[in-house]
Amino acid sequence: MIMSFNLENIISIRDFKKSDVDYILDLADEMVPIAKSQQVCHKKDGKLLGVMFYEPSTRTRLSFETAMKRLGGDVIGFNQKQGTSVEKGEVLYDTAQIISQYADAIVLRHDMAGAARFISQNVDIPVVNAGDGPGQHPTQTLLDLYTMKSEIGELNNLKIAIVGDLKYGRTVHSLVYALAMYNVEIKFIAPDELQMPPEILDDLRKLNCKYSIETTLLDNIDDVDVIYMTRIQKERFPDPKEYAKVKGKYRLKAANLKDNDAIVMHPLPRVDEINFDVDKLKNAMYFKQAFNGVPVRMALLDSIIKD
Ligand code: CP
């Protein structure tokens, strides 16, 4: 039985021990009836979450806000720079100092890798990284693991195909370090120019994580338990011509999943990489995955915001 969680900030999945991950996944299970509005919770009555989103978001921001409110707390903050004093030139450090005067924890999404770590070292309330450029997205990783575990039963012995933008995708940069804590096999499916960065592959080798590098989708999904699709992220390409070369490279259709029981996951938003006809299949797990963000983020907020 895992009894405690000792992280003060949620910045990178690499800060987690396996016992921390397992603790959050177990606690998330207990949060599900509250997340579904079947029970009412007052654990964080009177507490305020400060959300600072410098980049667009639908799921992460709204599921954090839902999580805090389901715990009995409330939310302040902003979802774009417009309308804040950032427009007058206020720097991230100062804005975070101000939010830390008002709130009991900060959730930060920023376009600069390392932004959340920097803020966590400069305020005296807990900080959660809600995505820092091409860096990390640790809370997405925890909800991804929670989805795999609750749908398949366990995380050990899984075969996982991770598809799409592996170069710039912060969700997959986080996810692979968490998967490496378990006995899994990963297929990285991407065009050569969007493959997983070599330094991450080096780390995975040192962690004895089994993986292969692939470039084609359809002949690599028959023997896997999870197909984790990602969007090729136009906004991260320095050169639009490079984006045009890889755009639309992988597209999963219902016909490709005949006699295949793999669950299909995606951090979302999708563009064209999963056809709408996949949505009606039992394989499609991405909307449930998005719901799972609520109990998982409730578990995280409950753990870091002290009573
Ligand atoms: N998965 C994810 O981070 O989605 P949003 O960008 O909508 O928050």
Side-chain angles (χ1 to χ4, degrees), residues 53 56-61 109 130 137 140 170-171 267-269:
F53 275 64
S57 167
T58 297
R59 279 144 293 275
T60 309
R61 182 175 66 83
R109 171 167 288 190
H137 197 348
Q140 177 73 43
R170 60 191 172 203
T171 63
L268 301 176

Side-chain angles (χ1 to χ4, degrees), residues 248-259:
K249 173 93 179 163
Y250 303 113
R251 186 162 191 161
L252 191 64
K253 301 177 184 157
N256 307 138
L257 292 165
K258 207 164 171 290
D259 302 324

Side-chain angles (χ1 to χ4, degrees), residues 30-48:
E30 292 175 28
M31 297 293 181
V32 169
I34 309 167
K36 288 186 171 169
S37 192
Q38 293 159 348
Q39 289 175 16
V40 176
C41 175
H42 295 286
K43 289 182 91 167
K44 298 298 167 194
D45 273 2
K47 300 290 182 185
L48 278 181

Side-chain angles (χ1 to χ4, degrees), residues 53-305:
F53 275 64
Y54 290 78
E55 277 195 328
S57 167
T58 297
R59 279 144 293 275
T60 309
R61 182 175 66 83
L62 293 176
S63 62
F64 263 115
E65 293 193 11
T66 305
M68 191 61 185
K69 290 181 182 192
R70 293 283 192 214
L71 287 167
D74 211 335
V75 182
I76 59 165
F78 55 88
N79 58 22
Q80 56 178 353
K81 289 178 264 191
Q82 285 71 25
T84 74
S85 288
V86 177
E87 287 196 299
K88 301 177 210 159
E90 185 165 75
V91 295
L92 173 63
Y93 172 90
D94 280 353
T95 308
Q97 293 300 331
I98 300 311
I99 299 287
S100 76
Q101 306 300 312
Y102 306 148
D104 298 288
I106 285 175
V107 174
L108 174 68
R109 171 167 288 190
H110 201 274
D111 52 8
M112 191 176 66
R117 177 84 66 199
F118 170 70
I119 290 309
S120 73
Q121 291 162 346
N122 285 286
V123 298
D124 56 7
I125 61 173
V127 174
V128 181
N129 180 4
D132 56 340
Q136 284 261 322
H137 197 348
T139 67
Q140 177 73 43
T141 291
L142 292 164
L143 76 90
D144 291 343
L145 292 189
Y146 181 80
T147 303
M148 290 179 204
K149 188 175 177 194
S150 55
E151 294 305 318
I152 301 173
E154 74 155 308
L155 294 167
N156 282 310
N157 303 317
L158 291 185
K159 283 191 180 176
I160 302 144
I162 303 183
V163 186
D165 178 358
L166 312 186
K167 179 176 181 181
Y168 297 112
R170 60 191 172 203
T171 63
V172 296
H173 294 171
S174 291
L175 178 61
V176 295
Y177 285 104
L179 289 173
M181 296 177 189
Y182 301 87
N183 180 26
V184 299
E185 283 181 46
I186 308 175
K187 292 184 186 188
F188 291 124
I189 303 174
D192 290 338
E193 53 272 56
L194 287 185
Q195 257 303 345
M196 192 56 80
E199 61 275 17
I200 295 183
L201 295 177
D202 276 351
D203 287 341
L204 293 180
R205 278 193 292 278
K206 286 179 198 148
L207 293 166
N208 293 319
C209 179
K210 288 177 232 145
Y211 70 82
S212 64
I213 302 290
E214 315 289 349
T215 52
T216 54
L217 176 64
L218 298 185
D219 53 351
N220 275 302
I221 55 173
D222 285 346
D223 62 343
V224 299
D225 304 292
V226 180
I227 305 168
Y228 191 101
M229 301 295 292
T230 66
R231 177 175 66 96
I232 295 184
Q233 304 173 95
K234 185 178 183 183
E235 69 275 21
R236 305 258 181 244
F237 281 74
D239 180 352
K241 284 194 232 106
E242 292 304 308
Y243 171 70
K245 278 190 216 161
V246 290
K247 175 176 172 265
K249 173 93 179 163
Y250 303 113
R251 186 162 191 161
L252 191 64
K253 301 177 184 157
N256 307 138
L257 292 165
K258 207 164 171 290
D259 302 324
N260 190 329
D261 292 329
I263 61 169
V264 177
M265 296 177 61
H266 194 310
L268 301 176
R270 68 175 152 186
V271 180
D272 58 6
E273 57 279 355
I274 301 178
N275 248 24
F276 287 106
D277 63 4
V278 176
D279 294 5
K280 63 180 185 304
L281 303 181
K282 64 180 180 351
N283 312 69
M285 212 49 65
Y286 26 93
F287 296 129
K288 193 165 179 191
Q289 181 185 355
F291 165 77
N292 289 339
V294 177
V296 168
R297 289 175 172 129
M298 288 173 73
L300 287 164
L301 293 176
D302 186 47
S303 301
I304 61 169
I305 299 175

